[in-house]
Amino acid sequence: QVQLVESGGGLVQAGDSLRLSCVASGRTFSSLAMGWFRQAPGKEREFVAAISSSGRSKVYADSVKGRFTISRDNAKNTVYLQMNSLKPEDTAAYYCAARPYIMVVTTTPSYDYWGQGTQVTVSS
């Protein structure tokens, strides 16, 4: 079993930056591929970014490419999502997810473990 705890959300203005963190426990972190997803009210959960277990492979949704950066620190059991140039349409609950495989994937059902989410609100 893997436990995931996100932090770093908040209320910001358009153009600001935020860094989300997700700390994992319960399994060797370096064996987990990690992802970030988000869900706005009334919408389905959507893929944001993912990183392989080694950190060498990264994938981004087109909507955040060039603005968001995913990274990980395997020594700290932590995955990060640096969000720059935030837009009102980035407003959502952001969820960290983990899967016990090496490779990066972008689909929600492929992830076995989920955090409780952290809210990001971007005002215009």
Side-chain angles (χ1 to χ4, degrees):
Q1 194 73 4
V2 175
Q3 292 78 43
L4 302 171
V5 179
E6 303 100 332
S7 62
L11 172 63
V12 297
Q13 293 187 331
D16 285 351
S17 298
L18 276 177
R19 188 176 81 157
L20 306 183
S21 301
C22 172
V23 179
S25 61
R27 191 174 179 130
T28 302
F29 185 66
S30 59
S31 69
L32 300 171
M34 302 296 296
W36 285 98
F37 291 76
R38 67 187 182 186
Q39 188 167 17
K43 295 188 176 181
E44 292 188 354
R45 192 168 296 188
E46 65 174 5
F47 169 75
V48 176
I51 188 168
S52 62
S53 59
S54 68
R56 285 192 286 267
S57 295
K58 303 176 184 181
V59 179
Y60 297 92
D62 288 343
S63 59
V64 306
K65 205 170 292 183
R67 299 188 298 122
F68 290 11
T69 302
I70 190 170
S71 62
R72 65 189 295 157
D73 185 339
N74 285 353
K76 295 183 178 180
N77 292 354
T78 303
V79 61
Y80 304 98
L81 185 68
Q82 178 66 44
M83 306 186 295
N84 298 330
S85 302
L86 282 161
K87 304 175 181 180
E89 50 263 44
D90 295 319
T91 295
Y94 282 71
Y95 297 88
C96 173
R99 60 192 303 268
Y101 300 100
I102 296 173
M103 294 179 63
V104 171
V105 295
T106 63
T107 55
T108 304
S110 299
Y111 287 83
D112 298 296
Y113 307 103
W114 293 84
Q116 82 288 350
T118 185
Q119 180 67 35
V120 172
T121 303
V122 184
S123 64
S124 57

